[in-house]
């Protein structure tokens, strides 16, 4: 779907973002380590964030790093999500085509077909909006711009969302190693604990950024 939703539909939507290794050396899509989701308040200010991990061995991270989290199998999570979207008549919004490709790769054909009418890739609409408003200045368009660049261009007075070092894919790999070695959060080193907390802050920031861009886009096309 490449048409904007209404402001009300964006407020009712669930905003999702995956973290993981993306693709392997053979360019094959890998199952994400986690998904973060953000649900805006109906008033349009603030909202709730929840993290779901797709790795059973991440129990120590779940117990120690972020309380609003759970561990589920990938298909189990999306089966539950489909029920919520249907019952609330809402959409699943994400920033790029990657999220949809991951769902298509790892979900059954039946479950993906069920979700498909409720999937909303914000990126094409965001690019169209940026071109119309000349968000990046005269002669400098949105092509190749990251989510972070879009957010900073649209919300210049806000603090940038938190970055992550050495990058989310490498952090996920290092947390895998930590979880294989330590079954309890208290056994993690301070550095490992920081990796986990930084990953959630980064993912939450991406989910909230997507929502705030959608809010701006939705209001523009509704006016």
């Amino acid at each position: 779907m490449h048409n904007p939703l209404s402001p009300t539909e964006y407020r009712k939507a669930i905003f999702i973002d995956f973290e993981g290794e993306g693709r392997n050396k053979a360019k094959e899509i890998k199952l994400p380590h986690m998904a973060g989701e953000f649900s805006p308040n109906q008033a349009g200010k603030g909202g709730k964030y929840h993290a779901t991990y797709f790795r059973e061995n991440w129990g120590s991270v779940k117990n120690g790093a972020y309380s609003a989290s759970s561990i589920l199998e990938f298909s189990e999570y999306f089966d539950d999500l489909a029920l919520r979207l249907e019952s609330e008549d809402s959409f699943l919004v994400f920033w790029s085509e990657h999220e949809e490709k991951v769902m298509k790769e790892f979900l059954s054909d039946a479950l993906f077909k069920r979700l498909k009418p409720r999937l909303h890739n914000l990126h094409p609409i965001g690019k169209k909006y940026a071109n119309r408003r000349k968000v990046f200045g005269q002669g400098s368009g949105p092509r190749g711009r990251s989510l972070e660049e879009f957010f900073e261009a649209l919300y210049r007075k806000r603090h940038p969302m938190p970055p992550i070092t050495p990058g989310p894919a490498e952090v996920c790999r290092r947390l895998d190693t930590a979880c294989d070695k330590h079954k309890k959060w208290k056994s993690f080193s301070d550095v490992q604990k920081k990796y986990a907390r930084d990953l959630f802050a980064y993912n939450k920031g991406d989910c909230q950024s997507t929502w705030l861009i959608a809010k701006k886009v939705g209001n523009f096309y509704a006016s």
Side-chain angles (χ1 to χ4, degrees), residues 175-193:
L175 285 175
D176 271 341
T177 300
C179 289
D180 285 340
K181 186 175 181 181
H182 305 297
K183 302 305 178 186
K184 294 183 179 180
W185 175 252
K186 66 180 181 181
S187 300
F188 277 40
S189 69
D190 289 343
V191 170
Q192 290 166 336
K193 288 178 179 178

Side-chain angles (χ1 to χ4, degrees), residues 35-102:
E37 64 176 66
F38 182 78
S39 300
N41 291 334
Q42 289 306 297
K45 294 183 178 180
K48 292 183 179 180
Y49 170 79
H50 186 90
T52 300
Y53 320 118
F54 307 125
R55 296 289 196 276
E56 288 187 11
N57 66 338
W58 277 39
S60 48
V61 173
K62 171 189 174 297
N63 294 333
Y66 196 82
S67 58
S69 58
S70 54
I71 296 177
L72 291 172
E73 290 184 355
F74 191 78
S75 59
E76 183 183 6
Y77 169 72
F78 279 98
D79 189 56
D80 174 72
L81 190 55
L83 283 173
R84 284 188 281 150
L85 294 170
E86 290 163 353
S87 66
E88 297 167 11
D89 190 22
S90 58
F91 290 88
L92 185 64
V93 181
F94 39 88
W95 178 244
S96 73
E97 62 182 10
H98 173 72
E99 281 75 17
E100 185 169 343
K101 286 182 177 179
V102 169

Side-chain angles (χ1 to χ4, degrees), residues 1-2 12 23 67 80 97 159 172 184 195 203 208 218:
M1 178 185 296
H2 289 167
K12 287 176 61 179
R23 294 177 182 269
S67 58
D80 174 72
E97 62 182 10
H159 291 296
C172 285
K184 294 183 179 180
Y195 284 149
N203 181 265
Q208 289 178 317

Side-chain angles (χ1 to χ4, degrees), residues 73-155:
E73 290 184 355
F74 191 78
S75 59
E76 183 183 6
Y77 169 72
F78 279 98
D79 189 56
D80 174 72
L81 190 55
L83 283 173
R84 284 188 281 150
L85 294 170
E86 290 163 353
S87 66
E88 297 167 11
D89 190 22
S90 58
F91 290 88
L92 185 64
V93 181
F94 39 88
W95 178 244
S96 73
E97 62 182 10
H98 173 72
E99 281 75 17
E100 185 169 343
K101 286 182 177 179
V102 169
M103 285 181 257
K104 187 173 183 179
E105 179 74 20
F106 293 105
L107 296 176
S108 68
D109 291 343
L111 182 50
F112 181 76
K113 184 177 179 180
R114 187 175 159 198
L115 283 164
K116 178 70 175 176
R118 299 187 179 276
L119 302 182
H120 183 74
N121 178 1
L122 186 62
H123 193 211
I125 301 152
K127 288 193 294 184
K128 182 179 177 182
Y129 169 83
N131 279 325
R132 292 266 310 260
R133 297 297 304 273
K134 294 183 172 54
V135 168
F136 295 102
Q138 192 70 34
S140 181
R143 187 173 181 177
R145 303 277 186 172
S146 67
L147 171 62
E148 290 78 10
E149 288 175 306
F150 266 84
F151 177 76
E152 290 175 14
L154 293 178
Y155 290 92

Side-chain angles (χ1 to χ4, degrees), residues 5-7 217-223:
L5 303 180
S6 70
V217 169
N219 289 337
F220 174 77
Y221 283 106
S223 61

Side-chain angles (χ1 to χ4, degrees), residues 11-30:
R11 286 197 299 272
K12 287 176 61 179
I14 295 174
F15 293 80
I16 192 173
D17 183 64
F18 292 135
E19 302 299 347
E21 297 178 79
R23 294 177 182 269
N24 61 19
K25 291 181 179 179
K27 304 299 182 182
E28 297 168 328
I29 296 176
K30 299 193 71 174

